[in-house]
Every structure is written in C-alpha cells, then in structure tokens.
Amino acid sequence: MTPKSRGEILLKSDDMRVYPRIIGNYFDDPDDVRIVVKGIRLAIEVSKTQAMQKYGSKLMEKPVLGINNLRVGDVSIMPEIVTAHINVPTIGIGEKGTDIIKEDYGYSSE
C-alpha cells in the first residue's frame, strides 16, 4: 500500500492548455515488483477457490483473428464485475497472459 517507486509530473509550458509530462516510474523499485508479483500469485490462487469458481472465475486466452501472435488479456473475461476495486483481478488476468506467453516461448513462469 506504500510503494517505494516515485514518479514525477513535469510542466512542458506555463500555458495551462498544454498537458504536463507524466513519468509514472511504476515498479522502479524492485520491492514494488516483488510485492505486486506476490499479490498476483495470491489473486490467482483465490480465483481457483471453490467460492470463486461458483461465480465462474477463470483465466483464459482470447485470440484476435487476422493478427498473428497478438495476445489480449482483457477484464471482459470476468462474467460479472465485482462491486469492489477490480485492480487485483485485472493485474491477475494480465499476469496470467504473461505466463501463457512465456510458456509458449519456453520460459518458466516461476
């Protein structure tokens, strides 16, 4: 809940109509990456529980026709949107997509 990575917002101009430059620097600190990966793994395990399966929770791959080797991990695979923050399940869906791609190319997802 308290990331160590810090971004910055830089003004490009003194004109208020010019959008600032936003540098997120997400996951700049290795501890932030470690904590998020741990959370994603937990979310995946939670999605496999009997309680979540009751609601049809599953992670899946959706091919896009006409484009070779493109993978899309999208939150629309959730049968019903939860009435809470969907950040964790969204990240879990993206992480599962990453694992599928790594597996296809012979990389370990551990």
Side-chain angles (χ1 to χ4, degrees), residues 80-98:
E80 292 183 31
I81 302 298
V82 295
T83 55
H85 295 288
I86 63 167
N87 190 40
V88 171
T90 302
I91 292 171
I93 291 165
E95 183 67 21
K96 179 60 179 177
T98 302

Side-chain angles (χ1 to χ4, degrees), residues 41-53 57:
R41 287 184 175 144
L42 176 62
I44 290 169
E45 291 306 310
V46 168
S47 77
K48 295 175 183 177
T49 63
Q50 186 176 8
M52 292 300 286
Q53 294 300 311
S57 171

Side-chain angles (χ1 to χ4, degrees), residues 4-99:
K4 295 178 181 176
S5 300
R6 293 287 180 255
E8 55 185 336
I9 299 174
L10 305 172
L11 298 177
K12 294 181 190 175
S13 166
D14 59 0
D15 183 346
M16 68 179 208
R17 293 170 292 197
V18 176
Y19 290 107
R21 180 169 179 227
I22 301 173
I23 304 167
N25 268 355
Y26 306 113
F27 305 120
D28 189 49
D29 189 289
D31 279 346
D32 292 343
V33 176
R34 182 185 56 75
I35 290 168
V36 167
V37 168
K38 187 176 178 182
I40 290 167
R41 287 184 175 144
L42 176 62
I44 290 169
E45 291 306 310
V46 168
S47 77
K48 295 175 183 177
T49 63
Q50 186 176 8
M52 292 300 286
Q53 294 300 311
K54 177 173 120 180
Y55 295 103
S57 171
K58 61 183 172 184
L59 301 173
M60 59 189 215
E61 185 178 351
K62 294 173 78 173
V64 176
L65 300 177
I67 300 175
N68 294 331
N69 299 320
L70 174 68
R71 306 294 176 84
V72 177
D74 190 274
V75 221
S76 66
I77 66 168
M78 293 194 302
E80 292 183 31
I81 302 298
V82 295
T83 55
H85 295 288
I86 63 167
N87 190 40
V88 171
T90 302
I91 292 171
I93 291 165
E95 183 67 21
K96 179 60 179 177
T98 302
D99 287 344

